[in-house]
Amino acid sequence: MCDACGCPSPSDHAHGPSTHTHSHTKTVDVHESLFAANEAIATSNREHFEEMGAVAINLISSPGSGKTTLLEHTIEALKEEFNIGVIEGDIETERDADRIRAKGVPVVQLTTGGACHLDASMTHRGFHQLQKEPGGDTLDILFIENVGNLVCPTSFDLGEHHRIVLVSVPEGPDKPSKYPKAFTSSHTFLITKTDLLPYFDFKVEDARDDALKLNPTLRVLDFSATSGENFDQWLSLLRELVAAAKKKNSLQA
Ligand SMILES: Nc1nc2c(ncn2[C@@H]2O[C@H](COP(=O)(O)OP(=O)(O)OP(=O)(O)O)[C@@H](O)[C@H]2O)c(=O)[nH]1
Ligand SMILES: [Mg+2]
């Protein structure tokens, strides 16, 4: 049990490929129990986020798609309107947390030391740390920036309410077809860095159509955080998510 709140203890599994020999059946069992343990903690995380009244948003993308830049510009635009907190996930360094801290909101950096994704137990620890930061216990929006990777993070529910996958224009429009689970498991697809469209062979419609073939309910937005083009669409989505979370909370109260 967690001393802080009595919810299940974080799982203590090792990441990365197993080096010992075992039967195929055994491997499947281990994976199933790992995902089941993760799922239980994710459910508990979600309850914690809801008790606080926060909507939790998990950002997934390749390295460098613009996750932290998106958060910097979002915080600048919305920090007078909403209480925003961030859990940053990276393999190494405090750099992304430093960038967010400079914007004046509570942030915690989780470093995985090699693991290619966050899991629910790391998020659980990060959330408790964040609650101890000034302003970290009264959030409207909790952003969780996952480790840059379009594969592993898709298999781990962190307890988020909304999962977002980002692809930037320089990466090319074929990412939905090549990394389908990132798109089938997400609620929203953000095409970022559209200020670079004149310099790349990237057709927004192609990426959008491929993603919608995989997941017809996906919301798709395209914008540039740095030029500000279409950025209002993104801010409107966030306002909508916060309003829906507050409404759900008031109905449950
Ligand atoms: N032209 C342009 N560049 C951008 C935009 N957004 C981000 N960048 C640049 O893209 C690079 C990577 O941005 P980050 O925000 O650090 O990307 P990230 O997804 O957080 O990267 P990791 O945390 O390493 O996975 C930086 O040089 C940013 O300045 C954009 O809208 N337009
Ligand atoms: Mg980043």
Side-chain angles (χ1 to χ4, degrees), residues 87-159:
I87 295 176
E88 282 289 346
D90 275 298
I91 290 177
E92 296 289 352
T93 87
E94 185 86 15
R95 289 184 187 186
D96 280 3
D98 288 342
R99 289 169 60 185
I100 299 299
R101 204 169 284 118
K103 297 291 169 194
V105 302
V107 59
V108 163
Q109 178 78 52
L110 298 174
T111 49
T112 65
C116 53
H117 61 89
L118 294 179
D119 67 18
S121 70
M122 296 178 207
T123 306
H124 173 104
R125 286 194 293 273
F127 182 62
H128 282 317
Q129 266 175 262
L130 191 66
Q131 284 180 299
K132 292 179 195 151
E133 296 286 316
D137 56 350
T138 52
L139 301 178
D140 300 307
I141 309 178
L142 170 64
F143 287 110
I144 306 166
E145 179 180 338
N146 220 309
V147 178
N149 180 341
L150 270 181
V151 184
C152 317
T154 64
S155 296
F156 289 83
D157 183 4
L158 306 182

Side-chain angles (χ1 to χ4, degrees), residues 20-197:
H20 57 273
T21 54
H22 43 50
S23 74
H24 178 70
T25 308
K26 184 79 175 163
T27 305
V28 171
D29 286 344
V30 167
H31 284 167
E32 278 177 359
S33 88
L34 185 142
F35 287 125
N38 187 78
E39 199 52 49
I41 299 166
T43 300
S44 154
N45 286 349
R46 206 164 358 256
E47 285 165 11
H48 285 311
F49 303 151
E50 285 167 14
E51 274 161 26
M52 187 190 263
V55 59
I57 299 174
N58 181 5
L59 298 175
I60 292 177
S61 82
S62 306
S65 299
K67 299 179 292 300
T68 312
T69 306
L70 172 66
L71 293 180
E72 290 173 314
H73 287 267
T74 302
I75 292 163
E76 271 170 24
L78 294 182
K79 85 171 174 187
E80 303 304 327
E81 205 172 323
F82 299 126
N83 295 324
I84 299 175
V86 181
I87 295 176
E88 282 289 346
D90 275 298
I91 290 177
E92 296 289 352
T93 87
E94 185 86 15
R95 289 184 187 186
D96 280 3
D98 288 342
R99 289 169 60 185
I100 299 299
R101 204 169 284 118
K103 297 291 169 194
V105 302
V107 59
V108 163
Q109 178 78 52
L110 298 174
T111 49
T112 65
C116 53
H117 61 89
L118 294 179
D119 67 18
S121 70
M122 296 178 207
T123 306
H124 173 104
R125 286 194 293 273
F127 182 62
H128 282 317
Q129 266 175 262
L130 191 66
Q131 284 180 299
K132 292 179 195 151
E133 296 286 316
D137 56 350
T138 52
L139 301 178
D140 300 307
I141 309 178
L142 170 64
F143 287 110
I144 306 166
E145 179 180 338
N146 220 309
V147 178
N149 180 341
L150 270 181
V151 184
C152 317
T154 64
S155 296
F156 289 83
D157 183 4
L158 306 182
E160 73 268 23
H161 300 98
H162 202 85
R163 183 177 291 189
I164 294 183
V165 57
L166 297 78
V167 172
S168 64
V169 165
E171 291 170 64
D174 55 0
K175 296 301 164 289
S177 310
K178 288 185 173 177
Y179 301 94
K181 195 168 175 192
F183 297 83
T184 55
S185 71
S186 289
H187 302 92
T188 294
F189 170 26
L190 303 181
I191 299 170
T192 61
K193 309 193 191 179
T194 54
D195 58 298
L196 299 178
L197 280 169

